[in-house]
Amino acid sequence: MKNLLIVFLSLMSITAMAQKGTIKGLVKDKQTGEEIIGANVFVEGTSTGAATDIMGNFQFQVEPGTYNLIATFIGYANFKIQDLTVGAGEVVELTVLLQTDDVQLEEVVVTAKADQTSENLLLLERKNAVEIKQSIGAQELSRKGVGDAQAAVTKVTGVSKQEGVKNVFVRGLGDRYNSTSLNGLPLPSEDPEYKNISLDFFSTSIINSVDINKTFNPSIFGDVDGANINIVSKELFEDQELRVSLSAGLNTGSVGQDFLRPDGSNMLGTGLSEESPITDLTQYDFNNSFKPSTVSMPLNSSFSVSGGKRLDIGSHKLDAFLVASVQNEYVYKEGITRSAVSSDGGAGRDYTYKAFDYNVAQIFMGNFNYDLTSNIDLSYNTMYIHNNSQMVGEYAGQAQNLTEVDGRSAFIRRQQVNDNDLFVNQLLADVSLSDKINLNLAGSFNSIRGSEPDRRTNTFLLDENTGEYSVAAGSAGLNHRFFSTLEEDDVNAEAVFSYALKGDKDGASKFELGYSYRNTQRNFGYRQFSFDFANQAPVDINNPDATLFNQQSINDDIFRLITTRGFNQEQIDVFAPDTYDGSKIIHSAIANFNYELSDRFVLGAGVRYETVRQEVIWDFNQDRNEYGENLSERNPNYILPSFNLKYSISENDIIRLAASKSYTFPQFKEVAPFLYEDVNFSSFGNPDLKPADNYNVDLKFEKYFGKGNLFAVTGFYKHIENAINRVLVTSAATELSYVNTGNADVSGIELEFQKKIWEKQTGDKFSSFSVGANASYLYSKQKLEDDPDDKLTVLFTHDEAELEGASPLLLNADISYKSETENKGITAALVFNYFSDRIYTIGTADRDNIMEKGIPTLDIISSYRFNKNFQVDFKAQNILDPEYKLSQDIGSGESFVIQNFQRGAKISLGLTFKL
């Protein structure tokens, strides 16, 4: 940390003068397409501007800011461009089409769009905002070789990803403490284990920018404490554009492997049915084999095409932008995996393993913007994402209650597919009622369809003396097939009325009043078919279907099929699925007030009132009453205040203060007692789980110096009452559940630094060299107390601990070089990331905490544009290929490895065509 501060201070000594932005373009006759000589283009209300030359071109400079432009010429209607934002050092290019007076006598008004892909513009928006926010745009994502939204947010201060856990940790707070939205409207989850949708679903082909709001404000739903992550989808910013990209690559760990995939699946992620084919337990009618299929050339690839056009419909304009992409990736891992160990180093399960992970996704997106009138803008966004992950894991070693006999070991093979379909439909309207009054309307309908079709688990026993295998008997669940489906529909609506207190509606002083509504309905069900063996029958593990798992074995009474409801299908409906149904309805009233007390001082205060009605009904064979169902209801009301203060010490030095209250609500899965089984653990819900209350304070200093340069430092504190954790509960099996563990406190400091070391303009050649870094130090502490109000017993090993997933130290850094002319250019970046050791699982029953060891990652990203249409990209990611490791201390002080593997380096080469 000391050396890091020295680097920061040294780089801070290199300063640069703030630069003006440039507005340039071409003025033409709309009917003939001819260039207009001598037309005047100027900033409204000023003399700043220029006349067009003999080629119709104009160019002039302005200070960074947002302007209205006027274009005039004798015999033509005036042309007005509203809300054109120009960043420091940025060049904004325009094409102005003037219409003759005999065609249109009234002034033509066009509202400019802010291209949020620009790093400079996002930095300017951040500077002008009242609240604390961070954003990362498409330009920065491309420069750092980022492939999806999940990787994007990990480049932001205080955000990290934990291996084996979906989604990200923000300031040490994981999935349940965060929220996800698209264009400001919330999104549902595709996975019953998680609250948020997987961020890796959203590839950079559809991302304009990603906003990370770490402080709560009334514009977002109150179930958030870490951050609201808002993905802004791409839209058209030019009259027309077309972009085609393709790439191919490999993972150094996967190449050369005979890569295994679940039988019945294919490279597109289709082929498996979510419906069980079994209608009679005496008939073996399964469609897929217990023997995995093999891929001999596991190569990664991607293809995307995007484009759009601006269409004139009468006197109105329609912007249409479409994206389609497909991508796949292979990852091979091998190592050891063990269950948590006792104080003497004993483990219930101790395996070596190989894991073959394959992921494929298809994405289709449409964005349509239409200026219905001069005062009403409509936007319609539609998106379909199909994401399919396939895993085959093979585990060999010792397991409690399986291999106690000398000379015997276990072999477990698990084939798992998770198939997810997301449909998003959003309609947004921006209505300008006057210069001071504005109305924003938004609504969405989102639908998730997730399934785990035909998950297959085999447990075999190896006689090490003879080398022969037999099937494990005594517990039917050791060999099973599992079919599950999740259907979730999510409806959102919002209306926000704003009134400008000073100047126009774009000013800092305004009052907002609104209402938002969310209705989420989930249905989850599964069927499991277990193989109940009376004895340990011999089996060929390379051909288990021919030798054992077939109709003949049922006929010979070697095994029988049973479900969670039994096997006597003449007396009960053994095929009825185990289910839970969740319903959650939120009504919110919103009030927000910002007032510019002076040119330097802006005060913001707001409140959000929410009523939450959540109901979960389940019907599981292992937990049902005489009516076959139980009920869990949560019906609180929340008053959630927030406060923001912005003080400008100077034009480029800003202090911000934010404080708020929010809450964290138990999710459907966390309160439903559905038992989910994995190789090394099982988990179930806790109906007595309580919501958590969150209190947050942030203090931030920002210094903007020169083009794209920033230094910022943030201190923050969070207090969480009734914190929620997933822990190992006291039970006959190794089972995890969700419990309230007491109060938690989180505090820390975050540093950001961006600096252009040098820039040079030689003729038409521009070159630059820049560095960036961000770091965070986090302190977290939570009390560990068994909640006396629930029915679970948890024996914590320690009285207190850090938060799960909270890394005390996070570091991101990059070095970038760019050299370009109008048609050619080269860019290169070195991107580094590091997180320190953190808790993976809190210790219970005299077992110590399981720790995830900190690792560094290093990426090299480069591209070469050899003319205005073609570009080649090269990426070498995770080139250090560090060892991922979970470990646990035992009584002697020895560190015991729980799991380890390496992911391999990822190398890719791509080609992009842009018209």
Side-chain angles (χ1 to χ4, degrees), residues 548-607:
L548 187 59
F549 292 89
N550 51 46
Q551 182 65 47
Q552 189 62 47
S553 292
I554 293 180
N555 296 341
D556 295 341
D557 293 326
I558 295 176
F559 70 80
R560 64 180 177 180
L561 290 175
I562 66 174
T563 73
T564 56
R565 297 178 184 269
F567 59 87
N568 193 337
Q569 58 194 41
E570 296 179 359
Q571 295 181 7
I572 58 174
D573 184 5
V574 298
F575 300 105
D578 284 2
T579 64
Y580 74 82
D581 297 329
S583 173
K584 188 175 183 180
I585 299 175
I586 303 175
H587 296 276
S588 302
I590 304 164
N592 197 41
F593 173 80
N594 289 335
Y595 194 77
E596 194 172 21
L597 299 172
S598 69
D599 291 341
R600 293 187 174 187
F601 196 10
V602 182
L603 177 66
V607 65

Side-chain angles (χ1 to χ4, degrees), residues 815-870:
I815 301 173
S816 301
Y817 171 76
K818 177 189 291 186
S819 178
E820 60 182 4
T821 63
E822 183 177 355
N823 293 321
K824 295 183 179 181
I826 184 171
T827 62
L830 193 65
V831 183
F832 175 81
N833 171 268
Y834 171 77
F835 68 83
S836 61
D837 295 359
R838 54 196 180 192
I839 294 178
Y840 185 81
T841 302
I842 294 174
T844 59
D846 292 328
R847 297 179 175 92
D848 213 331
N849 301 328
I850 296 178
M851 302 296 297
E852 181 182 6
K853 294 299 182 181
I855 57 172
T857 59
L858 185 66
D859 304 334
I860 297 175
I861 312 298
S862 63
S863 65
Y864 176 68
R865 179 164 54 90
F866 48 89
N867 59 42
K868 65 179 182 179
N869 300 121
F870 289 95

Side-chain angles (χ1 to χ4, degrees), residues 751-762:
L751 298 173
E752 297 175 74
F753 181 77
Q754 295 176 218
K755 174 63 183 173
K756 292 285 178 65
I757 301 300
W758 54 261
E759 290 184 332
K760 182 185 295 185
Q761 183 82 44
T762 306

Side-chain angles (χ1 to χ4, degrees), residues 33-58:
E34 294 180 358
E35 294 80 7
I36 298 177
I37 304 171
N40 291 309
V41 183
F42 57 92
V43 176
E44 185 178 32
T46 73
S47 59
T48 301
T52 56
D53 58 21
I54 58 173
M55 301 299 294
N57 296 311
F58 68 91

